[in-house]
Amino acid sequence: STICWETQEHLAMVWLGIVALMIPLAFLAKCCHAVWVFSAEMQAGQVGFLQAYAFLFSRYKTETYWYGLVHLFRSLFLAIVPILPNVSVQLLFMQAALQLSLICNVTYKPWRVPVANIVDALFTVAIMCIISCAAFYTDSDPSGVLAWVSVIIVCGAMVFFPA
């Protein structure tokens, strides 16, 4: 068996994980660079650039071309939640990531199809409600406080949603 931080097998797995983590981080860095140079590339008429990064720009309105990064970073933050040691911190971290994503969605309405903005916001609020319900079932010491903080966050999301 492998015991964390005490065996050579675990150390090898940690290093393998660090190396494997470089691939998605490199992809994220390349996407950030593509968003950074988007305006200059479009002014230069680089159609090939637009075709190469269509997955990043094609779903959003021209004025919110950067919104693909919001989705990528939200996914990154939600993916790293399991490495956080405390359930309370995990739930609050998920709530915060979803809340920021919801605020961006409601403020900028980035999707080319207007109904997609509403659907995205509704699903985000639904996920936040599920997380709030999960907060009532945690075994952490201040679970009551955590649950009510989660409920307040969801209520805040519902206030922002009609905007």
Side-chain angles (χ1 to χ4, degrees):
S1 78
T2 302
I3 299 174
C4 293
W5 306 112
E6 293 183 12
T7 62
Q8 289 295 349
E9 292 88 11
H10 183 260
L11 184 61
M13 287 189 281
V14 168
W15 281 109
L16 183 63
I18 290 171
V19 170
L21 184 63
M22 294 303 154
I23 296 168
L25 290 180
F27 173 77
L28 186 61
K30 186 64 178 166
C31 289
C32 289
H33 179 262
V35 169
W36 182 266
V37 299
F38 178 80
S39 296
E41 295 290 332
M42 291 302 95
Q43 288 176 352
Q46 297 293 330
V47 177
F49 175 84
L50 189 58
Q51 290 172 341
Y53 292 101
F55 72 93
L56 193 57
F57 302 118
S58 65
R59 292 174 284 176
Y60 309 107
K61 293 188 246 178
T62 307
E63 59 272 11
T64 56
Y65 64 90
W66 48 265
Y67 197 77
L69 287 181
V70 172
H71 272 277
L72 288 174
F73 277 102
R74 180 185 70 179
S75 297
L76 173 68
F77 292 146
L78 292 177
I80 64 173
V81 162
I83 67 170
L84 299 173
N86 187 338
V87 171
S88 301
V89 175
Q90 290 176 350
L91 291 173
L92 289 175
F93 196 78
M94 283 191 289
Q95 287 281 29
L98 291 170
Q99 181 80 20
L100 290 173
S101 172
L102 180 66
I103 289 170
C104 284
N105 180 22
V106 171
T107 302
Y108 296 106
K109 296 179 180 37
W111 295 93
R112 286 189 187 272
V113 180
V115 174
N117 293 309
I118 296 168
V119 170
D120 187 12
L122 286 174
F123 279 120
T124 303
V125 169
I127 293 169
M128 291 174 69
C129 287
I130 292 169
I131 292 170
S132 289
C133 291
F136 284 102
Y137 296 102
T138 62
D139 290 334
S140 62
D141 294 331
S143 64
V145 173
L146 171 68
W148 287 110
V149 167
S150 294
V151 168
I152 290 169
I153 290 172
V154 169
C155 290
M158 290 181 182
V159 167
F160 278 113
F161 178 64

